[in-house]
Amino acid sequence: MDLWRALRQNGRKARSKVRSGRTILTRTAPQFLFDFGSPNAYLSHLAIPAIEQRIGVKFEYVPILLGGIFKSTNNKSPAETLAGVKNKREFQAVETERFIKRFKVQPYVWNPHFPVNTLNLMRAAIAAQLEGVFEKYVEAAFHHMWREPKKMDDPEIAAKALASSGLDAQKLFARAQEPEVKGKLIKNTEEAVARGAFGSPTFFVGNEMFFGKEQLREVEEMVSGK
């Protein structure tokens, strides 16, 4: 049985398990590899809830360090790769508008402090998983990066912002310095590269990789078996 057919069958099984509109995490759940420093990851995050409702499967969020992926793959940020390329930046702006309309999400507010070093934020995401506040943390960190943008690589500013969202920022940042937490983020990042990732947002459905927010449609189609 080929991968595509297997994923279609698993998608049907996942949908059959949905009860009362709730979504569940299954073995075939799509994975979302993200870094808070990516505005396209933020837009993907906004689009995902509606997709989860349609497919009946919950995405698995996997924190990675985008800087680490860039270093391992010799990749660079769009701010660098688009510099001096005529028409490409303009097209990407059009594509982003199409995405916003298609998925009915709010546009991000450009962070004037970009690029922001996200190392501590991503380590704290791992800490939030251990503390059982991961979803709340992800929502807050994305919000303070791309909805009400702040200089989130400033420890005091970040702590104040996260505290305003009801999180124990000091506890999370303290745990972010633990070897276990640091090691988990490194492992996530190294495994992402080993699987073929070179940036964020990256999605996996089984062993199939999809890169960029535009491919969320393909992710949805594969999981739903359409």
Side-chain angles (χ1 to χ4, degrees), residues 32 35-46 66 77-78 96 99 106-111 114 142 145-146 200-201 213:
F32 171 36
D35 184 303
F36 296 120
S38 166
N40 287 327
Y42 170 67
L43 292 178
S44 298
H45 169 68
L46 295 182
L66 188 54
S77 71
T96 295
F99 181 92
Q106 290 184 318
Y108 58 79
V109 177
W110 183 251
N111 193 316
F114 187 85
F142 268 133
M145 276 291 297
W146 300 111
S200 174
K213 65 184 185 300

Side-chain angles (χ1 to χ4, degrees), residues 39-178:
N40 287 327
Y42 170 67
L43 292 178
S44 298
H45 169 68
L46 295 182
I48 283 173
I51 297 174
E52 290 177 331
Q53 290 235 338
R54 289 193 294 268
I55 64 178
V57 180
K58 194 172 179 63
F59 279 64
E60 177 188 357
Y61 278 53
V62 181
I64 51 88
L65 185 63
L66 188 54
I69 286 184
F70 282 170
K71 183 176 181 180
S72 295
T73 61
N74 199 32
N75 195 7
K76 297 178 181 178
S77 71
E80 295 179 86
T81 60
L82 296 181
V85 181
K86 185 177 181 179
N87 297 328
K88 190 173 182 180
R89 187 184 298 275
E90 290 78 5
F91 170 76
Q92 291 211 330
V94 170
E95 187 282 322
T96 295
E97 285 301 315
R98 290 172 180 162
F99 181 92
I100 288 169
K101 291 179 181 178
R102 180 184 305 119
F103 289 98
K104 298 180 175 60
V105 297
Q106 290 184 318
Y108 58 79
V109 177
W110 183 251
N111 193 316
H113 307 289
F114 187 85
V116 174
N117 186 327
T118 59
L119 177 59
N120 284 331
L121 285 178
M122 300 315 301
R123 285 175 175 170
I126 302 294
Q129 288 180 320
L130 298 175
E131 290 292 324
V133 293
F134 182 62
E135 291 187 6
K136 186 174 183 179
Y137 177 83
V138 168
E139 195 66 39
F142 268 133
H143 177 85
H144 293 295
M145 276 291 297
W146 300 111
R147 174 53 36 198
E148 295 182 9
K150 301 172 181 65
K151 186 172 173 53
M152 293 296 283
D153 52 4
D154 182 310
E156 291 186 8
I157 292 174
K160 183 177 180 180
L162 295 171
S164 73
S165 294
L167 291 158
D168 188 339
Q170 297 298 337
K171 184 176 184 179
L172 291 174
F173 283 141
R175 290 214 66 176
Q177 302 308 311
E178 295 177 1

